[in-house]
Amino acid sequence: MADIVRAAASDVPALASVLASAYAEDPVWSWLMPHDRDRRLRLLFTAHLAQQIPAGRVWTDPDRTVAAVWAEPGKWKLPLSYLLRNAGTLLWAGRSQLPRTGMRLLALEHRHPAEPAHWYVEYIGTHADARGTGRGSQVLGGLLEQADADGRPVFLESSNRRNLTFYQRHGFTVQEEMTFRAGPPMWSMWRWDADR
């Protein structure tokens, strides 16, 4: 895991920018935030990263061009205290689309598997300027080494069909194309330990 590092509090602005860039053209985020997306994504990711970094759940590359939020088994669910602390940010970033955003998040939480115990890739993104350099693969690969050493599977939801082949190259398989009452589909994906 020499190619990846745990993010520090000082990395929040840079990594919020990375994730905002990575999700700028994402179909789900485009639907959730049709206007002023870059600023609103930066706001959301700044608040989220500030909460996740102290727990050791944010990883990056040495140049801070990739950001990954990675939850250990049993720690993927956001506690009510998180939502309360970030209510103002969620209201401001969600604005008129807040009900839509809330419904999508609740639907995803409801569909998130409880078993088996698994690692969870909540977000991973590469800044647009660094796409195609292999840095995203290095960060994800380092995290997957952790999961393999632990012997547990890895779960994620992809919000962009174009990213499915990237995840498949890393051993993930699509479990389900998730459709919702409104908005674009998403895909749930699993990766099992290579030795299984």
Side-chain angles (χ1 to χ4, degrees):
M1 295 202 344
D3 294 331
I4 68 172
V5 294
R6 257 188 227 270
S10 59
D11 294 322
V12 167
L15 297 183
S17 177
V18 165
L19 290 174
S21 173
Y23 288 95
E25 302 301 322
D26 180 89
V28 172
W29 285 105
S30 295
W31 172 70
L32 291 173
M33 297 180 175
H35 308 292
D36 198 19
R37 189 174 315 121
D38 181 67
R39 189 164 58 86
R40 292 166 68 192
L41 283 173
R42 284 174 193 256
L43 185 63
L44 273 177
F45 286 126
T46 295
H48 192 59
L49 293 169
Q51 296 285 320
Q52 297 299 322
I53 284 175
R57 295 189 184 119
V58 181
W59 295 82
T60 187
D61 64 318
D63 296 327
R64 306 319 192 249
T65 61
V66 178
V69 182
W70 168 256
E72 58 269 54
K75 304 288 186 179
W76 60 268
K77 192 172 185 175
L78 293 175
L80 180 59
S81 60
Y82 171 91
L83 297 173
L84 293 174
R85 275 193 304 268
N86 291 293
T89 301
L90 293 170
L91 286 169
W92 173 248
R95 299 169 104 183
S96 63
Q97 284 77 32
L98 186 60
R100 172 188 291 193
T101 304
M103 292 304 292
R104 178 58 65 102
L105 292 175
L106 286 173
L108 285 175
E109 186 169 305
H110 177 72
R111 291 183 182 192
H112 194 115
E115 295 294 329
H118 57 275
W119 293 87
Y120 177 51
V121 181
E122 184 178 5
Y123 295 105
I124 185 166
T126 302
H127 195 282
D129 295 341
R131 282 194 198 125
T133 61
R135 293 176 187 175
S137 287
Q138 287 176 338
V139 172
L140 182 58
L143 297 174
L144 295 177
E145 285 177 20
Q146 236 181 352
D148 288 346
D150 184 44
R152 296 182 197 231
V154 182
F155 179 77
L156 63 81
E157 298 108 353
S158 177
S159 54
N160 192 334
R161 182 186 301 271
R162 289 186 331 211
N163 294 337
L164 298 181
T165 56
F166 170 78
Y167 294 123
Q168 288 166 336
R169 283 195 309 268
H170 288 280
F172 286 88
T173 57
V174 174
Q175 172 162 345
E176 176 188 8
E177 180 175 340
M178 300 182 290
T179 57
F180 303 88
R181 282 190 225 169
M186 294 177 71
W187 294 264
S188 63
M189 303 185 80
W190 281 100
R191 181 188 182 273
W192 302 92
D193 183 346
D195 297 330
R196 246 182 98 144

